[in-house]
Amino acid sequence: MNSSFDAAEASTLPHELAGPLPRRTRMSGSGVANAVYAMVLLVLALAGALWFGRRAEQQIEHRAALRQEGSDATGEVTEVSIAGRSSNLLAKYTFAVNGTFFTGEALVPKEMGHNLRELSLIPIRYLPANPTVNHPSGWEESSLSIWIWPVLPAIPAALGILFFAALRAQRRLIAHGISAAAAITACSRSRAGFNVKYNFVTKDGQVVNRSGLFETRQEIGARIVVVYLPQNPRRSQPYPLDFYRVAE
């Protein structure tokens, strides 16, 4: 593929990119939506981390209290079911303290899963001052399984950070990037659209080969406009960008 572009092609570059650097920028509707989405993800991640963290602390506190101050009772399994979408079994049970019945539920240890049935009798450990705090004796979850839940909010937090990073990268391109004519060298379908390879020539004559995602198929040899950072031409994207525009 010929990577040289004549002056006529250069003259067709968008006029809003011809002004002095840095350019004034404005966020597009898509950019605003993604910024809001990223903020929501970060807020949910923080709330989830606080909630799961407090829940983990309570479980640790209850475990310690049951070990030190707990009393024993005999409970009866009232229901055995699959816990959510996992393969783990969840047992619901009931037990009596001074003639009053209390209930509870707990994950069944894997080694007991095939033997536990409804109406099975199991030993229960409970707090005499508050029998609602109880757990089957010997069924304690590992500390790792308790503290794994507060880590889960890191997933939406990471997604939110990635969205903000994409927004920041596009803003930098619009503010400080140089426009160039590029040629499509390859195009293949993907789940999210079309993976397109293109090349362009920088102002100092360097040929740069990059790729990007397009919603529609691009013809081999077709010309597009890209914006790149002069100090790092590999940081380029097809123009117009999704999240930022030039503020005219």
Side-chain angles (χ1 to χ4, degrees):
M1 174 66 59
N2 185 1
S3 299
S4 61
F5 303 96
D6 57 26
E9 278 189 297
S11 66
T12 63
L13 296 177
H15 66 89
E16 68 269 19
L17 299 178
L21 302 180
R23 305 182 188 91
R24 293 174 55 243
T25 65
R26 64 178 178 84
M27 193 176 285
S28 66
S30 178
V32 172
N34 276 270
V36 171
Y37 185 50
M39 184 62 68
V40 169
L41 286 173
L42 292 177
V43 170
L44 289 177
L46 177 59
L50 293 175
W51 189 86
F52 282 121
R54 180 54 187 156
R55 183 170 179 268
E57 287 181 359
Q58 288 179 337
Q59 287 181 298
I60 296 295
E61 292 171 357
H62 288 168
R63 174 187 289 184
L66 286 170
R67 285 177 177 173
Q68 298 173 6
E69 307 168 16
S71 296
D72 296 317
T74 299
E76 183 178 71
V77 177
T78 58
E79 182 182 340
V80 179
S81 60
I82 297 177
R85 298 183 179 180
S86 69
S87 59
N88 297 324
L89 294 179
L90 180 71
K92 296 183 179 180
Y93 54 86
T94 183
F95 64 98
V97 177
N98 298 325
T100 302
F101 283 90
F102 296 89
T103 62
E105 61 181 32
L107 291 177
V108 181
K110 293 191 180 205
E111 61 272 15
M112 296 181 58
H114 295 293
N115 299 323
L116 192 68
R117 297 288 184 272
E118 292 182 9
L119 305 183
S120 296
L121 299 180
I122 57 175
I124 302 297
R125 189 83 169 167
Y126 68 93
L127 287 183
N130 182 12
T132 59
V133 177
N134 59 76
H135 203 275
S137 301
W139 288 22
E140 288 185 353
E141 300 178 42
S142 67
S143 298
L144 177 62
S145 64
I146 291 177
W147 286 107
I148 194 67
W149 294 104
V151 177
L152 291 181
I155 298 174
L159 291 175
I161 291 172
L162 287 175
F163 275 113
F164 275 123
L167 289 167
R168 183 175 181 274
Q170 286 203 6
R171 184 179 184 279
R172 187 180 179 194
L173 272 176
I174 287 294
H176 302 279
I178 296 176
S179 60
I184 303 295
T185 59
C187 181
S188 60
R189 182 180 290 276
S190 68
R191 291 183 179 180
F194 293 88
N195 287 322
V196 173
K197 294 182 179 180
Y198 59 87
N199 62 22
F200 61 94
V201 180
T202 65
K203 281 193 172 182
D204 58 5
Q206 177 184 356
V207 178
V208 180
N209 294 283
R210 299 301 293 154
S211 62
L213 187 65
F214 284 71
E215 293 183 357
T216 58
R217 181 181 295 278
Q218 303 294 309
E219 296 296 328
I220 306 301
R223 293 320 197 235
I224 61 171
V225 175
V226 298
V227 180
Y228 69 92
L229 294 179
Q231 65 273 29
N232 184 9
R234 294 183 62 81
R235 295 285 300 275
S236 70
Q237 288 190 29
Y239 185 84
L241 277 62
D242 294 328
F243 304 145
Y244 276 91
R245 300 285 186 268
V246 177
E248 297 188 57

